[in-house]
Amino acid sequence: MENYKWDLSKIFKTEEEINTAVKFIDEEMKRLEELKENPKSNLLSILDLRSSVSRTMDKLYVYSHMKRDEDANISSNQKLAMEMESLMNSIGSQFSFIEPLILGIEDKELNKLIDSQEYSIYKTYIKRVIRKKPHTLSEKEEFILSSASEMGDSAQNTFYMLSYGDMKFPVLEKTEEKIELTHANYTNMLTNPNRNIRQEAFEKMYSTYDKYKNTFASTLMGAIKNLVIQSKLKNFESARTLPLFEDDVDLSVYDSLISAVHDKLTTMYEYLEVKKKGLKLEELHMYDVYVPLIEGVDRKIPYEEAKSLIIEALKPLGEDYVKIIEKAFNESWIDVYPREGKKSGAYSWGCYDSNPYILMNYTDDLNSLFTLAHELGHSVHSYLSRKNNPYINSRYTIFVAEVASTLNELLLMDYMLKTSKDENEKLYLLNYHLEQFRTTVFRQTMFAEFEREIHKRVENKEALTAKEFSDIYYELNKKYFGENMKIDEQIALEWARIPHFYSNFYVYKYATGFSAATVLSTKILKSEKGTLEDYMEFLSDGGNNFPIDQLQKAGADMSDENTVKSALDVFAKEVEDIKKLIN
């Protein structure tokens, strides 16, 4: 079994090495105090010091948390993770003076620094700090705003405590063993083949939320007002502009996503008709949409077979890409199987000085296969970003983070559909992929449209209560699901359940990332000239360029709504394919 565990000793072999790294950080932070006595003259040294400290801190933080995830039952693993969290927070606050320091330097002098050879490694970083200048207040004002940020976060904290702490849901009477409905089991209830169970879970979930709807309206209104106030104070033209600014995303990208999805909603309606027919229902309700058209295909895929399938499926990405995948399999990047004390789920993680490790809980089924391909996409992206860039420019943004992982899944999907000889398996795979489109592109775009509308109304001085939130949300469901589906009135309260609405204007990135991956995978499978080279450059760019520019160079222009439409053409084709399988 040791062959199926990751090897974290490649990061730190002994406790002595960990202590040496911590001691290095302590000594460097003492040196920082000396440099801060004349910070402007010592700016380059300060930036170098922060880079070396942050790099070492990342290594300690990642190692400690992966050791905890490896086995949380070992108390020393828990202790080390908590200690590293504390150290990281302390270091972050001690370096917080750097951006205000840079912004305090005159433009003429800053331009000289950017053009100088000695600052070349920090050129991108300094340029991005300068971008913030029109939106940066005086030192005193920034301190006040920063100090008040905890109050601004109270709406989100209240949402979490009410949702996941205080709320209690009723017992489900129609399950074999009467069990209490929870957030954790709700999704499973909605995929249950027994329609009575689905309906009961749906109605009891929202009858509970109905009791707290005014409180949830208050917390959401508070979160919106917080962003609106911040955007005004920081000289942004609208609340939406502030969160998009960090990635240099124009509002047109957001709006064109919504516009493109609107133009293709008829394909969603067709899919729902297919679903109604496949499930043999006279009327499709909101509690029916998550039910698969076919129960999970009972195909066992041992890990060794999964490795072979993934390598074959990813061959269109070229020899260099496949060699990295083989490194992951052969050099102990992956912790494969579930065991006592190990963290559930899956992720790809690591730091600049480590392998891009993968935590899996592989269970020999199709879902595990696709999850493994997904996480390998993240790991290859991280591997190439770190290999081809200095530490400070090695991190890619959340905006592009799901592109490589999704593209891997899409290539695997294409390979499985082409090679599968089992009609049920093909139906399962198509349904799986169409559901990804429905939940990642259509659903997240509906969320994005909801966010755009509610923020716009608050900026126009309109007070929103639970009624207004519910009315807006219900009308959007009617638009996105169509007239041929029963839009149950309880769905109007779903907005109250969604934590993402407290992470302002974030959800649209799921839809753009999935759309970009779909367009790029289609081009790669068609062997379009230059596409593979451009894609590999995208994976290697790290944080050198803004995400829209990165994707545009790769061949997916997210500022053009035709890109999203092209992705949804794939959805439309697969709807036609699945029609043939259920006729």
Side-chain angles (χ1 to χ4, degrees), residues 69 118 130 158 244 349 407 520 552:
D69 294 346
E118 58 182 351
I130 294 170
T158 303
L244 270 63
W349 203 13
L407 190 140
L520 293 173
Q552 192 172 41

Side-chain angles (χ1 to χ4, degrees), residues 380-397:
V380 175
H381 195 176
S382 298
Y383 177 85
L384 289 170
S385 291
R386 293 166 190 160
K387 182 182 178 184
N388 291 285
N389 297 285
Y391 170 75
I392 195 166
N393 296 329
S394 63
R395 291 182 180 173
Y396 48 85
T397 64

Side-chain angles (χ1 to χ4, degrees), residues 103-240:
L103 290 169
I105 299 172
E106 291 181 6
D107 290 352
K108 189 176 178 181
E109 195 174 342
L110 271 177
N111 288 329
K112 275 187 181 178
L113 293 182
I114 290 170
D115 293 335
S116 68
Q117 184 60 38
E118 58 182 351
Y119 277 89
S120 60
I121 197 172
Y122 300 111
K123 184 174 182 176
T124 300
Y125 166 72
I126 294 173
K127 277 186 171 182
R128 293 189 181 185
V129 173
I130 294 170
R131 278 184 76 240
K132 299 176 184 177
K133 204 163 192 174
H135 307 292
T136 303
L137 309 178
S138 69
E139 188 175 345
K140 186 176 181 180
E141 288 169 331
E142 285 287 348
F143 176 77
I144 294 168
L145 200 58
S146 176
S147 300
S149 65
E150 284 191 32
M151 290 187 289
D153 292 338
S154 64
Q156 183 178 26
N157 294 334
T158 303
F159 166 83
Y160 271 92
M161 292 310 298
L162 178 57
S163 293
Y164 306 117
D166 296 341
M167 283 179 72
K168 300 298 177 190
F169 297 96
V171 168
L172 297 172
E173 301 289 341
K174 295 179 181 177
T175 51
E176 280 186 28
E177 296 178 11
K178 293 179 174 55
I179 58 172
E180 184 182 343
L181 180 65
T182 65
H183 288 291
N185 66 23
Y186 179 60
T187 302
N188 286 338
M189 294 301 135
L190 288 189
T191 58
N192 194 298
N194 185 324
R195 198 179 196 206
N196 291 327
I197 291 173
R198 299 199 300 268
Q199 182 177 357
E200 183 188 17
F202 178 80
E203 290 175 352
K204 286 186 172 178
M205 173 62 71
Y206 290 112
S207 65
T208 307
Y209 268 93
D210 190 53
K211 296 173 185 175
Y212 301 93
K213 64 186 176 186
N214 295 317
T215 304
F216 281 113
S218 177
T219 60
L220 186 53
M221 187 68 177
I224 297 167
K225 280 184 174 178
N226 181 48
L227 181 66
V228 169
I229 291 167
Q230 277 193 56
S231 64
K232 285 178 180 175
L233 290 174
K234 286 184 162 287
N235 304 312
F236 285 97
E237 62 186 68
S238 71
R240 196 158 48 119

Side-chain angles (χ1 to χ4, degrees), residues 183 233 248 293 319 348 362 412-413 486 561 567:
H183 288 291
L233 290 174
D248 195 33
L293 285 168
E319 285 184 25
S348 167
Y362 195 87
L412 177 59
M413 177 66 67
K486 175 66 177 174
E561 69 179 64

